[in-house]
Amino acid sequence: MLSFLSRMAAAPPSYCFVAFPPCSKDGLVVFGKNSARPRDEVQEVVYFAAAEHEPGSKVECTYIEIEQVPKTHAVVLSRPSWLWGAEMGANEHGVCVANEAVLTREPASESEALLGMDLVRLGLERGATAKEALDVIVALLEEHGQGGNYYEDGSSCHTFQSAFLIVDRNEAWILETSGKYWAAEKITEGVKCICNQLSLTTKIDAEHPELRNYVKSQGWWNGDSDFNFSEVFSLADDHLACCSGRESLEKQGGDVSAQAMIDVLRDKDSGVCVDSESFLTTASIVSVLPQDPSFPCIHYFTGTPDPSRSIFKPFIFVDDVKLVPKVQSPSFGNDDPAKKIPRFQEKPDRRHELYKAHEWARSLLENDQDKGQKLMRIMLDLEKQGLEAMEDILSRTEILDPAEVVDLFYDCVDTELKFFK
């Protein structure tokens, strides 16, 4: 049991990537993330429409309530179904945010505050560009702090600091935090990867105004040498290069596409697709953001664990987009053990319909290889058709008719379920 807990105390090894032209195809920015979480945790895919809010209204995040803003953007999120925030997602303005749990030399707070995952959703709901989302996240960090249990676990409190990859059609920001202190680097070209270790070194484009004074006061930096964020904040020797998938993307030359990103996320040999005793890639996302704003952004979600046996289904923001209850977990309202104090005294069944169908398919793959492989080939062919249809949308000259894609994600989930049955 102790070895299990010590493994869970390590940050889950998720990976996030972004590729900019000239490394990516056709003037596209390509973003991807594998979310590694406790093996039995369910992720759901949820959409929230843009909304206006009354002055003085509040928003109930996972553990704390904070001030609401007058207007929130439409968002689509992949999230552990017991919490309010998200592991990753996108908004209607083509902003994508993903977070990583990281450990720093400063212990993360067990006191309930905002989770890194709450900050993902808040950044998306309130920021119309990557830089706006970053400004939202750091302002909320300053005001409310980060802390509380990262897992649905009543027996132990697992706490982490947060790192974020924040991307839009023009630029990306890597934001790394320790408590309320933070630093960020702006990216506009090439391929970048972040994982569950600090990665910022001496190239810092924005930072907490008191960051350097604080680390000097702690005796972590003398002020004479170059300020290297990872070296100052990492636990001993933990700031090594961690991105095994980056080389695969760089090898693509200028051809990183949605398919190339999906292939990297499916790669178990590199460690990017996590399948270990404690952790599993419980959901994945790939987003394609055309630098030309007349084209729509396309977001592909699995909604199910292990991308090597899941399919990526496209979503495009349009008004009145059709909701997809089959990838939404049951709601337990105020009876949810995640909302009662003490928390997590029991674990309800949070599996949604697609998750259950996927479990059946997994047992087929494991118990009847021929049937399983045949099913997988059909599923991958379905995914390929979706990718080709989306490429077609991005190569057209005429403007996309919203009616054409209002049911897009719904229909893809529905088709996937039919094949499982």
Side-chain angles (χ1 to χ4, degrees):
M1 185 65 183
L2 272 174
S3 69
F4 173 72
L5 287 175
S6 65
R7 282 199 306 275
M8 293 296 271
S14 298
Y15 288 85
C16 303
F17 302 91
V18 65
F20 281 89
C23 294
S24 54
K25 258 176 113 161
D26 309 330
L28 303 172
V29 178
V30 186
F31 161 86
K33 177 182 175 180
N34 270 352
S35 168
R37 298 279 303 168
R39 288 192 69 88
D40 60 348
E41 187 177 78
V42 177
Q43 276 200 42
E44 58 179 352
V45 179
V46 287
Y47 168 82
F48 296 99
E52 292 186 2
H53 306 278
E54 292 292 317
S57 56
K58 305 270 194 218
V59 55
E60 185 79 42
C61 302
T62 302
Y63 297 130
I64 64 166
E65 193 178 71
I66 66 169
E67 299 286 322
Q68 185 54 286
V69 288
K71 184 179 187 315
T72 48
H73 308 307
V75 296
V76 61
L77 310 170
S78 184
R79 67 175 184 185
S81 54
W82 61 270
L83 53 77
W84 179 85
E87 272 281 286
M88 51 213 178
N91 73 19
E92 61 185 307
H93 301 290
V95 180
C96 298
V97 185
N99 99 309
E100 295 282 349
V102 290
L103 293 168
T104 70
R105 67 195 301 170
E106 199 149 33
S109 169
E110 290 194 9
S111 302
E112 293 189 344
L114 292 172
L115 286 174
M117 293 169 281
D118 292 337
L119 291 163
V120 169
R121 178 169 172 181
L122 290 161
L124 288 168
E125 287 188 338
R126 301 177 179 199
T129 65
K131 180 62 168 62
E132 275 183 24
L134 178 135
D135 292 342
V136 164
I137 290 170
V138 299
L140 289 166
L141 206 50
E142 181 74 26
E143 189 177 350
H144 301 286
Q146 56 181 324
N149 203 341
Y150 249 68
Y151 302 144
E152 187 184 14
D153 182 356
S155 61
S156 183
C157 188
H158 309 266
T159 61
F160 300 100
Q161 311 286 10
S162 308
F164 303 87
L165 181 60
I166 308 169
V167 181
D168 65 22
R169 295 174 188 261
N170 303 306
E171 62 187 34
W173 288 84
I174 292 173
L175 168 63
E176 297 185 343
T177 71
S178 186
K180 68 174 185 176
Y181 295 97
W182 59 273
E185 178 187 358
K186 181 177 169 177
I187 315 287
T188 53
E189 58 181 25
V191 172
K192 264 298 190 202
C193 165
I194 69 166
C195 65
N196 60 320
Q197 296 170 8
L198 297 177
S199 65
L200 296 182
T201 55
T202 53
K203 182 183 179 301
I204 294 173
D205 296 305
E207 65 186 68
H208 188 286
E210 287 301 309
L211 175 67
R212 295 180 195 224
N213 290 341
Y214 174 68
V215 295
K216 271 192 216 167
S217 74
Q218 298 294 310
W220 298 341
W221 180 57
N222 59 16
D224 299 331
S225 56
D226 279 350
F227 180 74
N228 180 317
F229 188 84
S230 295
E231 277 180 11
V232 169
F233 277 99
S234 291
L235 298 161
D237 297 330
D238 194 30
H239 53 276
L240 308 164
C242 67
C243 262
S244 26
R246 199 174 84 203
E247 296 81 12
S248 327
L249 287 173
E250 283 169 344
K251 278 188 202 132
Q252 302 273 338
D255 276 345
V256 175
S257 58
Q259 183 65 66
M261 187 66 81
I262 288 170
D263 292 343
V264 165
L265 296 183
R266 283 186 168 139
D267 187 359
K268 287 199 171 164
D269 294 340
S270 68
V272 170
C273 180
V274 175
D275 188 352
S276 69
E277 207 177 328
S278 321
F279 297 114
L280 180 66
T281 298
T282 53
S284 307
I285 182 177
V286 167
S287 292
V288 174
L289 317 174
Q291 290 189 308
D292 178 345
S294 62
F295 289 103
C297 297
I298 301 171
H299 311 283
Y300 299 88
F301 291 90
T302 58
T304 51
D306 189 347
S308 71
R309 50 185 175 78
S310 289
I311 65 169
F312 287 79
K313 299 164 282 289
F315 174 97
I316 295 177
F317 281 94
V318 288
D319 289 342
D320 304 319
V321 71
K322 191 166 181 182
L323 300 179
V324 189
K326 290 168 182 172
V327 285
Q328 280 177 254
S329 294
S331 168
F332 300 96
N334 291 331
D335 290 332
D336 196 314
K339 291 187 175 157
K340 290 178 174 171
I341 309 285
R343 299 192 198 272
F344 313 127
Q345 296 307 295
E346 52 189 313
K347 262 193 183 176
D349 183 355
R350 299 189 187 275
R351 294 173 305 160
H352 49 73
E353 197 175 328
L354 184 64
Y355 188 97
K356 288 178 181 172
H358 202 258
E359 283 183 318
W360 170 84
R362 185 184 70 192
S363 68
L364 183 69
L365 274 168
E366 286 165 0
N367 300 320
D368 185 337
Q369 286 219 310
D370 288 349
K371 269 190 182 161
Q373 293 300 332
K374 189 178 169 195
L375 177 67
M376 211 50 229
R377 280 195 297 274
I378 293 169
M379 304 310 296
L380 288 172
D381 191 50
L382 184 67
E383 178 185 87
K384 186 165 174 262
Q385 288 171 32
L387 285 161
E388 286 169 357
M390 295 306 103
E391 276 180 20
D392 175 56
I393 284 174
L394 293 181
S395 59
R396 289 182 199 170
T397 45
E398 70 271 18
I399 298 286
L400 177 71
D401 175 7
E404 196 185 331
V405 295
V406 76
D407 299 345
L408 176 65
F409 188 64
Y410 182 96
D411 288 345
C412 290
V413 169
D414 220 39
T415 309
E416 184 177 4
L417 277 163
K418 284 192 179 97
F419 279 116
F420 285 149
K421 284 170 181 160

